[in-house]
Amino acid sequence: MKKLIFVCTSLLLMAACSQKSATGYTITGTAEGTEDGDTVFICSMEGFFSMIPQDTTIVKNGQFVFKGETEGASLRYIVPIHQGEATNTTMFILENADIKVTLTADSKNDKIEGGPNQRLFEEFEAGDKEWQEKTDKPWKITLDSTATEDAKKIAQKQVDSLTELQKQYHKDFIIKHVPSALSDMLFAYYMKDFTDEEQENILKLFGEKQPQFPVYKSIMAERAAEAATAIGSKFTDFTMSGTDGKEMKVSDFVGKNDFLLVDFWASWCGPCRAEMPFVIKAYNAFHQKGFEVLGVSLDNDKEAWLKAIDQLKLPWPHMSDLKGWECEGAKLYNVRGIPANILIDKDGKIIAKNLRGEDLYNKLAELIK
């Protein structure tokens, strides 16, 4: 199986990096070790080697075919299954193109004939492999129990130096190939290796030459949402259904209370549940003095949501669109992890964010004399 060492960020979960095409993609392939009726999956990888199926088809007349359309080119895996076992796991770039796949029993002679992003990715991999091979020898010395401490120190310096050069290779490749779908995708994987100044420069370059690509657009949208909901900004209103199914707005509570905490949480979120005693403490202490809480759930199961409210004995109003991580309110406030909260004053100004533990109580004690 081909390998790629990559950085895990929330951007990795995106299907990203090329323009949408009216023609879409067609993947035609064969896989040794499969028979008619066997299943073939297209999978994404999340976390550490966790394969998540994205599409499926059936082998027919010795061949499998996928058809679809993607908003971007993305790193995917083709996984044929025979008698409950994967016969192969091959990485490729999914993009709007005609893609031909030949999978062999031992994976050594697998062949992917894809679009321009596939070819560019293979070029990138070849260069990256060279740097990895240079690093392997000193790396093995650092792990060798028979090596002297001096030898390990020297080897570690070599590893550190080569690693920095490999990171520079990634940066140079991304910049060299702007505008391209692959530069957009690789930036998502390796952006943490860029300094803040380098990130700004590459984003500026993307904006000038390839503003249509999804990773760039997503980053800029997140920045816009963060700026719009920064401390000192006016709150952003949104509408969702309450526990009784009736619509309610954030603005229904702003102004009617001196302070409103918009609290993003979910029934399945352990840290959220652990945080609730602190929110309850603040609510009990300051509710009669003008403090209100509005719970915004990132649940998608209404029964689980209502059950959690009852179990945790949360007395304040609650709302949800039951869209999970696609929660519209969470998107507006650039909520990328929960628990999260926004404290709004009676004039509608955001005065604090993400008050955790005793910080919420202490902040309200400071504000409410």
Side-chain angles (χ1 to χ4, degrees):
M1 171 179 136
K2 296 178 182 178
K3 295 181 180 179
L4 173 68
I5 298 173
F6 53 84
V7 178
C8 291
T9 74
S10 56
L11 293 172
L12 299 187
L13 304 179
M14 299 175 184
C17 316
S18 82
Q19 288 177 278
K20 196 167 184 177
S21 163
T23 57
Y25 61 81
T26 299
I27 304 171
T28 306
T30 59
E32 288 184 3
T34 61
E35 300 175 353
D36 283 5
D38 284 346
T39 303
V40 181
F41 291 96
I42 291 178
C43 298
S44 62
M45 185 181 290
E46 295 182 11
F48 292 96
F49 309 108
S50 178
M51 291 289 180
I52 309 299
Q54 302 291 320
D55 198 0
T56 182
T57 192
I58 301 296
V59 177
K60 184 178 181 180
N61 298 325
Q63 191 177 67
F64 61 85
V65 178
F66 290 93
K67 289 189 177 184
E69 190 171 0
T70 181
E71 293 187 359
S74 48
L75 196 63
R76 292 290 184 261
Y77 296 80
I78 291 184
V79 184
I81 304 294
H82 177 66
Q83 295 182 353
E85 297 290 335
T87 63
N88 195 310
T89 303
T90 294
M91 183 170 60
F92 75 107
I93 296 295
L94 179 65
E95 57 186 311
N96 290 319
D98 289 328
I99 302 170
K100 294 182 179 180
V101 179
T102 303
L103 305 182
T104 59
D106 60 6
S107 300
K108 292 180 180 179
N109 296 308
D110 290 347
K111 189 175 182 180
I112 305 288
E113 298 176 68
N117 295 296
Q118 176 70 37
R119 294 188 288 274
L120 199 57
F121 180 63
E122 289 169 0
E123 180 185 337
F124 170 78
E125 272 199 304
D128 202 43
K129 183 180 178 182
E130 289 181 9
W131 284 108
Q132 194 59 48
E133 288 174 346
K134 291 177 182 178
T135 307
D136 283 346
K137 185 176 179 180
W139 177 249
K140 288 177 181 177
I141 294 173
T142 66
L143 302 175
D144 186 355
S145 60
T146 65
T148 65
E149 288 304 313
D150 286 343
K152 288 184 178 182
K153 288 180 181 178
I154 293 171
Q156 186 61 57
K157 287 183 179 180
Q158 291 175 326
V159 169
D160 294 342
S161 176
L162 288 166
T163 298
E164 290 304 311
L165 290 171
Q166 187 176 19
K167 289 180 180 179
Q168 190 60 51
Y169 165 74
H170 298 159
K171 296 175 185 179
D172 292 343
F173 193 96
I174 290 169
I175 293 169
K176 178 181 177 180
H177 295 285
V178 173
S180 78
L182 200 76
S183 286
D184 193 57
M185 187 185 85
L186 292 177
F187 185 61
Y189 287 113
Y190 298 112
M191 64 184 297
K192 83 165 195 176
D193 293 335
F194 287 73
T195 64
D196 290 345
E197 182 179 358
E198 288 172 334
Q199 286 188 24
E200 291 302 319
N201 289 337
I202 193 69
L203 288 171
K204 182 179 179 182
L205 183 62
F206 282 0
E208 292 170 353
K209 295 190 175 183
Q210 59 179 52
Q212 74 274 30
F213 291 116
V215 169
Y216 170 78
K217 290 196 295 184
S218 177
I219 291 172
M220 300 313 291
E222 288 170 6
R223 288 186 170 200
E226 189 65 26
T229 59
I231 292 174
S233 301
K234 183 175 176 60
F235 83 101
T236 301
D237 202 10
F238 59 87
T239 303
M240 288 183 185
S241 296
T243 55
D244 58 2
K246 295 180 181 179
E247 286 192 349
M248 55 199 302
K249 300 178 181 179
V250 177
S251 56
D252 293 339
F253 303 93
V254 175
K256 294 180 180 178
N257 302 278
D258 291 335
F259 301 100
L260 173 69
L261 185 78
V262 181
D263 189 36
F264 296 93
W265 72 294
S267 66
W268 44 260
C269 170
C272 299
R273 299 178 78 109
E275 192 71 20
M276 285 307 176
F278 296 103
V279 183
I280 291 171
K281 176 183 176 181
Y283 180 88
N284 290 338
F286 299 108
H287 180 58
Q288 297 301 321
K289 299 178 181 180
F291 172 60
E292 182 61 279
V293 179
L294 175 60
V296 180
S297 170
L298 274 67
D299 276 279
N300 48 31
D301 183 329
K302 185 172 183 178
E303 185 178 346
W305 171 43
L306 298 179
K307 183 178 179 180
I309 293 172
D310 182 61
Q311 287 179 333
L312 296 170
K313 295 180 172 53
L314 309 180
W316 48 81
H318 295 267
M319 63 196 303
S320 180
D321 55 13
L322 298 175
K323 293 182 179 179
W325 281 110
E326 295 302 311
C327 171
E328 295 301 327
K331 287 182 180 180
L332 287 171
Y333 282 87
N334 197 30
V335 173
R336 309 190 68 198
I338 50 176
N341 56 53
I342 308 288
L343 186 63
I344 303 169
D345 70 11
K346 63 181 178 180
D347 297 319
K349 184 172 70 174
I350 297 171
I351 58 174
K353 299 175 72 172
N354 298 323
L355 296 167
R356 302 285 296 272
E358 295 291 348
D359 290 344
L360 174 60
Y361 181 93
N362 293 337
K363 182 66 175 178
L364 291 169
E366 172 191 327
L367 293 168
I368 300 174
K369 301 298 183 182

